[in-house]
Amino acid sequence: MQDLAEGVARFQRDVFPAKAELFARLATRHTLFISCSDARVVPELITGTEPGDLFVIRTAGNLVPAYSPESDGIAASIEYAVAALGVDDIVVCGHSACGAMTALAERHDLSGAPAVASWLRHADASVARTSADGDVSALVRQNVLAQLANLVTHPSVANALAQRMVALHGWVFDIPTGRVQDLTAPRAA
Ligand SMILES: [Zn+2]
């Protein structure tokens, strides 16, 4: 915690004064960015964006539960970003060596972590898309595509897509090289 406290003090002293105007102005938030909670994946850092640019949702394994009538915090955040903020783009960003995808690909015993095991069921379709056992990279890619499909089940997203108001993108961030692969770019399709 000492590191964090010093970081906050450094932010207030060295960083904030230069960005005070940025924080004061109305945030624009043109993009909804959904990534893994992994500490190595920092959306603003890898996209070179500033406060106000990204509306961010982070979950273990960058999983987006398919729409259900019993809404939750994730569904509410998606709806708010799309229907209220009117984001132009939605990015689902997976990453290399994802712990959640590794647990699934390598069939780890999750009996001691029932909440994790239950949450990872939202990747059932991702697992079903991969044939090669233990191929974490393949699962990471297929999971991004499966979560994009889950995203489309949310009425706000379906509506924005029908009106061509939003575009969906699937990315994979490679931690060792810093590269981002766009799975949904026309050439990658
Ligand atoms: Zn991860």
Side-chain angles (χ1 to χ4, degrees), residues 53-166:
D53 289 337
L54 300 181
F55 187 87
V56 177
I57 299 172
R58 297 180 69 166
T59 66
N62 44 272
L63 301 181
V64 180
Y67 178 76
S68 106
E70 296 87 41
S71 62
D72 56 26
I74 296 169
S77 297
I78 291 168
E79 186 180 83
Y80 181 73
V82 175
L85 297 176
V87 295
D88 301 315
D89 295 280
I90 305 177
V91 178
V92 173
C93 183
H95 68 99
S96 62
C98 181
M101 293 304 109
T102 301
L104 291 173
E106 299 180 354
R107 301 177 193 283
H108 292 182
D109 175 14
L110 296 172
S111 54
V116 173
S118 170
W119 172 250
L120 292 182
R121 296 295 307 273
H122 294 296
D124 279 355
S126 317
V127 174
R129 282 164 172 260
T130 55
S131 51
D133 266 1
D135 188 342
V136 178
S137 300
L139 182 55
V140 165
R141 288 193 298 275
Q142 292 304 326
N143 181 56
V144 166
L145 299 174
Q147 301 314 314
L148 284 174
N150 281 353
L151 202 50
V152 175
T153 65
H154 290 255
S156 57
V157 177
N159 179 260
L161 279 171
Q163 298 190 55
R164 299 177 186 274
M165 300 282 284
V166 74

Side-chain angles (χ1 to χ4, degrees), residues 33 41-56 58:
F33 198 95
V41 181
V42 183
E44 293 82 0
L45 187 67
I46 64 181
T47 58
T49 48
E50 295 283 356
D53 289 337
L54 300 181
F55 187 87
V56 177
R58 297 180 69 166

Side-chain angles (χ1 to χ4, degrees), residues 8-30:
V8 169
R10 204 160 48 241
F11 171 76
Q12 288 170 353
R13 188 183 63 237
D14 302 334
V15 179
F16 186 81
K19 295 187 186 293
E21 197 182 329
L22 191 64
F23 279 98
R25 78 168 190 228
L26 190 65
T28 48
R29 300 195 188 100
H30 292 306

